[in-house]
Structures are given as structure tokens and as C-alpha cells.
């Protein structure tokens, strides 16, 4: 499968009735990216999430992407970016503290396997996970969106709150790496996860 540029206009995220808009209005929309899921229907979002989790998180990526993450974690360890006093419930409040009662779920706060994120909430068409360190408070929003051809596709939006001038400089510095290396690798991996969902999570009604 060839890789296309999956970047989506910000309005495509901002204009949809996601619950995250009311919960995190003070976060900046950094990126919106789309991922093809051929044959997907309106109820297949849980299948897509299960396939992504089974595909290995950040541990199953091309060598260059693994190298970039390894460098980032090494720098973070050396400079104290990821210490506990810079994270959720320390430097910043977790987004879970803002949730209305109908979004409070048992899995909230659980680590997302093979990633530095923790769960905030998951709905039939929307999921939010978060992380915080010395550089930024970051939300990863996954949404399930009709693509205009009678099918659905996955959308990923990064919402950020940089930590002061240092955080803003950091976000600018890593932007080329996100666009040129990380997002194309995620596109290959996440679109392949959908195509291989039966192998990863077993047969589903949507895939039968």
C-alpha cells in the first residue's frame, strides 16, 4: 500500500461534535491526521482500537522511528523531562479531573500498553489518552469519521499545552520529525493494523 499524506485541515476536527471540545478548550490543536480503513462501518471503532493495541504500540515501529523515540527518552532521562514531578497530577492536573460524570470510566488512568500515555475516556466513536512531562501536556484524540464514500476512517488529533517558552521551542523543534518520519510510519502501521485486524484480534462481525 502506498503512503499518502494524511494531514487533514484543522476545521475537520474542530467542526465535529467531539466531547473533547468542551473538556479541553484550552489545549491547542497541533495536528490532524487521517488513516484509511477500507470497508469500515460506523460500529467498527472498537475493532480499530483493539487492532492498534494488538499491533504493539510504540514497540513495533521501523528502526528509525524506534531510534528517535530512544533518543527522546534518553534525553528525557538525562535532563529530567519525564520525572514524576513533571507529569500528571504533579506539574499539571490530569484531564480526568475535568470529566463530566457520564464520561468517568473504570479504565480512566490506566496506562496504555507500550506507550507513555494513560487513558482518559473511550466512546463508540471517540477516544482520548494523555501524557505530561516537562515539555508539554499532550492529548491524543482518536475519532471515527465517515469518509464520504459510505465508509469510515480513523482520525488522530494531537492537542497540546506546551510548558512555557521551553515547551513551545520543543514543539517547533520536533515538528519536522513528526511530519517526515513519525506520522508516515504511523500511517503504515495503523492502516496495516486495520487490514490485518482478523489476525491481530480475531474474527469480528464487521470483518466477517
Amino acid at each position: 500500500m502506498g503512503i499518502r499524506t494524511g494531514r487533514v485541515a484543522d476545521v475537520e476536527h474542530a467542526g465535529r461534535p467531539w466531547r473533547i471540545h468542551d473538556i479541553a478548550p484550552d489545549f491547542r490543536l497541533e495536528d490532524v491526521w487521517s488513516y484509511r480503513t477500507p470497508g469500515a462501518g460506523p460500529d467498527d471503532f472498537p475493532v480499530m482500537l483493539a487492532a492498534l493495541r494488538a499491533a504493539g504500540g510504540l514497540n513495533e515501529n521501523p528502526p528509525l522511528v524506534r531510534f528517535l523515540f530512544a533518543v527522546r527518552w534518553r534525553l528525557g532521562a538525562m535532563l529530567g523531562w519525564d520525572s514524576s514531578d513533571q507529569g500528571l497530577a504533579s506539574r499539571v492536573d490530569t484531564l480526568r479531573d475535568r470529566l463530566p460524570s457520564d464520561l468517568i470510566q473504570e479504565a480512566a488512568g490506566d496506562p496504555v500498553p507500550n506507550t507513555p500515555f494513560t487513558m482518559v475516556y473511550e466512546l463508540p466513536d471517540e477516544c482520548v489518552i494523555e501524557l505530561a512531562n516537562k515539555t508539554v501536556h499532550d492529548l491524543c484524540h482518536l475519532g471515527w469519521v465517515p469518509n464520504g464514500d459510505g465508509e469510515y476512517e480513523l482520525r488522530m488529533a494531537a492537542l497540546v499545552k506546551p510548558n512555557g517558552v521551553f515547551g513551545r521551542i520543543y514543539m517547533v523543534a520536533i515538528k519536522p520529525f513528526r511530519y517526515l518520519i513519525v506520522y508516515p510510519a504511523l500511517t503504515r502501521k495503523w492502516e496495516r493494523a486495520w487490514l490485518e485486524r482478523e489476525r491481530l484480534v480475531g474474527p469480528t462481525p464487521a470483518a466477517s
Side-chain angles (χ1 to χ4, degrees), residues 70-91:
V71 170
R72 166 59 184 85
W73 304 139
R74 179 63 62 87
L75 284 174
M78 291 172 55
L79 301 175
W81 293 352
D82 305 311
S83 60
S84 59
D85 63 344
Q86 297 295 334
L88 298 171
S90 296
R91 185 180 71 79

Side-chain angles (χ1 to χ4, degrees), residues 47-48 55 81 98 125 130 143 149 156 169 184 196:
V47 178
M48 183 73 243
W81 293 352
R98 305 183 183 186
D125 65 348
E130 69 175 334
D149 295 327
M156 184 277 293
I169 292 172
E196 298 179 357

Side-chain angles (χ1 to χ4, degrees), residues 9 53 58 68 73 99 120 175 177 185:
R53 290 161 183 158
L58 298 179
L68 288 176
W73 304 139
L99 295 181
V120 180
K175 188 171 185 176
F177 297 100

Side-chain angles (χ1 to χ4, degrees), residues 11-190:
V11 68
E12 292 293 326
H13 174 82
R16 299 198 64 82
W18 303 122
R19 296 292 299 274
I20 194 63
H21 296 322
D22 293 331
I23 298 166
D26 50 333
F27 282 72
R28 184 183 79 218
L29 182 58
E30 182 74 12
D31 299 311
V32 187
W33 217 258
S34 69
Y35 304 87
R36 294 173 295 191
T37 52
D43 301 322
D44 284 331
F45 187 51
V47 178
M48 183 73 243
L49 293 181
L52 293 180
R53 290 161 183 158
L58 298 179
N59 290 343
E60 300 290 340
N61 277 307
L64 182 56
V65 176
R66 293 200 303 271
F67 172 76
L68 288 176
F69 280 116
V71 170
R72 166 59 184 85
W73 304 139
R74 179 63 62 87
L75 284 174
M78 291 172 55
L79 301 175
W81 293 352
D82 305 311
S83 60
S84 59
D85 63 344
Q86 297 295 334
L88 298 171
S90 296
R91 185 180 71 79
V92 298
D93 295 331
T94 170
L95 196 71
R96 301 189 307 274
D97 293 343
R98 305 183 183 186
L99 295 181
S101 59
D102 66 310
L103 285 183
I104 297 175
Q105 300 169 346
E106 184 176 351
D110 287 353
V112 179
N114 302 314
T115 80
F117 288 89
T118 57
M119 178 61 66
V120 180
Y121 67 85
E122 181 179 325
L123 298 173
D125 65 348
E126 181 180 5
C127 176
V128 178
I129 57 180
E130 69 175 334
L131 69 81
N133 51 44
K134 190 174 182 178
T135 63
V136 68
H137 188 180
D138 181 27
L139 309 178
C140 177
H141 179 277
L142 300 176
W144 202 235
V145 179
N147 64 8
D149 295 327
E151 297 179 348
Y152 278 66
E153 68 180 22
L154 181 68
R155 297 273 178 87
M156 184 277 293
L159 298 100
V160 302
K161 187 184 289 187
N163 184 18
V165 174
F166 170 65
R168 291 192 291 273
I169 292 172
Y170 174 84
M171 292 303 299
V172 171
I174 68 171
K175 188 171 185 176
F177 297 100
R178 293 200 315 271
Y179 283 0
L180 296 176
I181 299 172
V182 176
Y183 287 158
L186 284 182
T187 299
R188 288 189 291 269
K189 179 179 178 180
W190 288 11

